[in-house]
Amino acid sequence: MRTNQIVKYSLFVSCYLFWVASGLMIAVGIYAKFCKETTIVDSLTTDPALIVTAVGILMFAITFVGCMGALRDLHILLKIFAWMLLIVLILQFVAAVLGFMFSGMVLEKVSSVMTRAINRYREDLDLQNFIDYLQKKFECCGVSNYRDWSQNLYFYCSESNPSLEKCGVPYSCCIKEKGQKVINTMCGYQTQNLMQWDADDMIYVEGCLDKIVSWGRGNLLLLGGLAMGLIFLEIFVASLAVILIYQINFIMERRKSTVPQSRRQTLNEGEKVEEADFTHTTPSEYEEQN
């Protein structure tokens, strides 16, 4: 008697796919960490490369336990795997509830992180590219508005600032003209001196935080669907592990119950033989035998 092969290999394949994905995450995180020109901005709360690597290592460990448990029918590893998935699901639920309850604090924290990133814009090339991508993608500038760039040393709007970029914004804030093929990196110069209604013809004046929040609300169904899909996938994998654990325990119990029964039959047959021998022997012969 053995476990259901469909359940066993479905669990193994699911864990194996996540295991491979986690390995790729670790590789990308390590590559991003060691291929930087400088250390990532200290002002950011956490290095994104470290986050990717940490999540990848956690996934790698959990899915490795699941793979080995499913492949070798080890109910101990499967129990550890199921409990780990349960803890991950609980943490995800708690994080979602806390994020919903303290959404204001989350936005303040995000705003603070984005502001510190703007302050270090020129100090890290990876961060600079990320901010430029963000501003071009969401057609925004700064955190709250385009004047947030005055918090950067190079774009600080003051007569005493010797930088050529003073009172300006990065080129990623500029509105691209139709048919423009060559990027004008000086298009945002002196735009902080303009009023908003004058500057909105040249640059994006709205902040990125509001644009990102608006994008999230507009794509709430998509984001919610992805989150629910991930949760249902985790529940499905955990259910497979529980089913396999039940099957393994059932097989072990059957084996335990069948072995003593055969032994009892052997003992009973032996007792009957001894009784039969005793009836065909005299007391003196029995004493001599013993």
Side-chain angles (χ1 to χ4, degrees):
M1 188 175 184
R2 59 181 182 178
T3 57
N4 189 299
Q5 299 300 293
I6 296 176
V7 175
K8 174 179 178 178
Y9 287 107
S10 295
L11 177 60
F12 173 77
V13 170
S14 300
C15 292
Y16 180 76
L17 292 177
F18 278 102
W19 186 59
V20 173
S22 63
L24 293 175
M25 289 178 63
I26 294 173
V28 170
I30 293 175
Y31 175 81
K33 182 64 179 177
F34 289 100
C35 290
K36 296 179 179 296
E37 291 186 353
T38 58
T39 306
I40 194 72
V41 190
D42 295 333
S43 62
L44 294 180
T45 305
T46 311
D47 187 343
L50 291 178
I51 295 177
V52 172
T53 305
V55 173
I57 292 173
L58 180 62
M59 285 180 56
F60 188 88
I62 294 175
T63 52
F64 178 77
V65 172
C67 283
M68 293 302 297
L71 189 62
R72 304 297 297 175
D73 286 338
L74 299 175
H75 71 288
I76 296 177
L77 292 183
L78 290 173
K79 285 182 180 180
I80 295 173
F81 174 70
W83 277 108
M84 284 181 174
L85 278 184
L86 179 61
I87 293 172
V88 170
L89 285 170
I90 293 174
L91 291 176
Q92 289 176 342
F93 178 75
V94 171
V97 172
L98 292 177
F100 179 77
M101 293 178 60
F102 301 100
S103 58
M105 294 178 61
V106 172
L107 288 177
E108 290 180 3
K109 187 64 178 178
V110 172
S111 176
S112 177
V113 171
M114 292 176 67
T115 301
R116 289 198 295 269
I118 285 178
N119 292 340
R120 299 293 186 91
Y121 175 75
R122 292 297 190 196
E123 298 181 21
D124 188 274
L125 183 60
D126 296 317
L127 180 65
Q128 178 178 322
N129 292 333
F130 175 73
I131 292 176
D132 287 335
Y133 170 79
L134 198 67
Q135 293 188 145
K136 288 187 288 186
K137 173 68 176 178
F138 292 98
E139 298 182 348
C140 57
C141 189
V143 181
S144 301
N145 55 63
Y146 65 103
R147 286 200 173 94
D148 289 334
W149 281 100
S150 216
Q151 300 180 44
N152 184 276
L153 181 64
Y154 295 90
F155 300 100
Y156 177 58
C157 193
S158 173
E159 293 294 334
S160 60
N161 187 0
S163 173
L164 295 175
E165 297 178 307
K166 66 179 180 181
C167 297
V169 294
Y171 78 95
S172 55
C173 289
C174 296
I175 300 175
K176 187 177 180 180
E177 298 179 1
K178 293 183 179 180
Q180 182 181 0
K181 296 182 179 179
V182 180
I183 298 176
N184 180 13
T185 57
M186 301 175 62
C187 58
Y189 281 27
Q190 299 299 319
T191 50
Q192 290 189 49
N193 290 325
L194 301 176
M195 300 302 293
Q196 183 171 338
W197 51 82
D198 293 326
D200 61 2
D201 292 332
M202 302 171 57
I203 62 172
Y204 303 115
V205 294
E206 296 183 45
C208 291
L209 184 60
D210 293 336
K211 283 293 189 76
I212 293 173
V213 171
S214 299
W215 178 85
R217 290 173 179 172
N219 295 272
L220 190 61
L221 292 177
L222 175 61
L223 297 176
L226 291 175
M228 291 302 297
L230 179 61
I231 290 175
F232 280 124
L233 183 59
E234 292 174 355
I235 293 175
F236 172 73
V237 174
S239 301
L240 290 178
V242 172
I243 293 172
L244 197 58
I245 290 170
Y246 174 79
Q247 292 180 355
I248 293 172
N249 289 335
F250 179 76
I251 294 171
M252 293 174 65
E253 291 296 328
R254 285 289 300 272
R255 289 176 178 174
K256 289 180 181 179
S257 62
T258 54
V259 171
Q261 185 176 0
S262 62
R263 288 181 178 177
R264 283 197 299 269
Q265 291 177 353
T266 303
L267 291 175
N268 291 334
E269 291 175 356
E271 290 175 356
K272 291 179 181 179
V273 171
E274 288 180 358
E275 290 177 359
D277 293 340
F278 180 74
T279 55
H280 291 86
T281 55
T282 62
S284 59
E285 291 176 348
Y286 179 77
E287 289 179 357
E288 290 177 1
Q289 292 175 1
N290 293 282

